[in-house]
């Protein structure tokens, strides 16, 4: 069984056991699970008739995930350079994210 969820403005296709990166959010420190309630589609690859599509979301459907860790992406360098002006600005950026493992899909 698979599902398409919406998280932070992006749509992600997930199935049970997948490990993925989602945007960091403010959660209490003792939180171990995360629930995605914005489910757009639920289907089963074995049968094409079992696919359910929401308008825009499925009522009562949810995807649960265990939080594995909070990590950062590799550093990227942002350079602004203006030639003949002796102007050079260099910045670095690392995005925070949560690493989660999908544990269940409920319809």
């Amino acid at each position: 069984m698979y599902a398409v969820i919406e998280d932070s403005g992006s749509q992600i296709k997930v199935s049970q056991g997948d490990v993925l990166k989602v945007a960091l959010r403010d959660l209490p420190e003792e939180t171990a699970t995360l629930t995605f309630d914005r489910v757009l589609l639920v289907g089963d690859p074995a049968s094409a008739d079992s696919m359910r599509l929401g308008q825009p979301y499925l009522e009562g459907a949810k995807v649960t995930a265990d939080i594995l860790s909070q990590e950062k992406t590799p550093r990227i360098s942002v350079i602004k350079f203006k030639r003949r002006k002796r102007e050079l600005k260099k910045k670095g950026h690392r995005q925070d994210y949560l690493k989660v493992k999908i544990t269940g899909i409920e319809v």
Side-chain angles (χ1 to χ4, degrees), residues 3 13-14 18 21 26 32-33 35-36 46 52 60 64-65 70 73 80 86 98-99 101:
K13 181 181 177 184
V14 297
D18 286 351
K21 301 174 186 177
D26 293 329
T33 61
T35 303
F36 300 99
R52 294 184 54 206
T64 57
Q70 176 181 341
T73 58
K80 291 186 178 181
R86 291 187 177 177
L98 287 174
K99 191 174 186 181
K101 182 175 183 177

Side-chain angles (χ1 to χ4, degrees), residues 43 69 71 96:
S69 62
E71 299 179 1
D96 293 325

Side-chain angles (χ1 to χ4, degrees), residues 71-85:
E71 299 179 1
K72 289 187 173 189
T73 58
R75 180 174 293 279
I76 61 167
S77 295
V78 180
I79 298 174
K80 291 186 178 181
F81 178 74
K82 293 188 179 178
R83 62 185 189 147
R84 296 188 297 269
K85 306 278 192 283

Side-chain angles (χ1 to χ4, degrees), residues 4 39-43 50-59:
V4 177
V39 180
L40 301 169
L41 177 132
V42 173
S50 66
M51 187 169 69
R52 294 184 54 206
L53 182 65
Q55 305 255 342
Y57 305 116
L58 281 172
E59 293 293 326

Side-chain angles (χ1 to χ4, degrees), residues 89-107:
K89 293 180 184 177
K90 184 176 179 182
K91 292 183 180 179
H93 178 73
R94 294 183 74 182
Q95 186 72 35
D96 293 325
Y97 65 90
L98 287 174
K99 191 174 186 181
V100 298
K101 182 175 183 177
I102 304 298
T103 57
I105 300 172
E106 298 177 19
V107 181

Side-chain angles (χ1 to χ4, degrees), residues 21-32:
K21 301 174 186 177
V22 296
L24 185 68
R25 57 200 75 200
D26 293 329
L27 296 171
E29 198 165 311
E30 63 275 353
T31 304

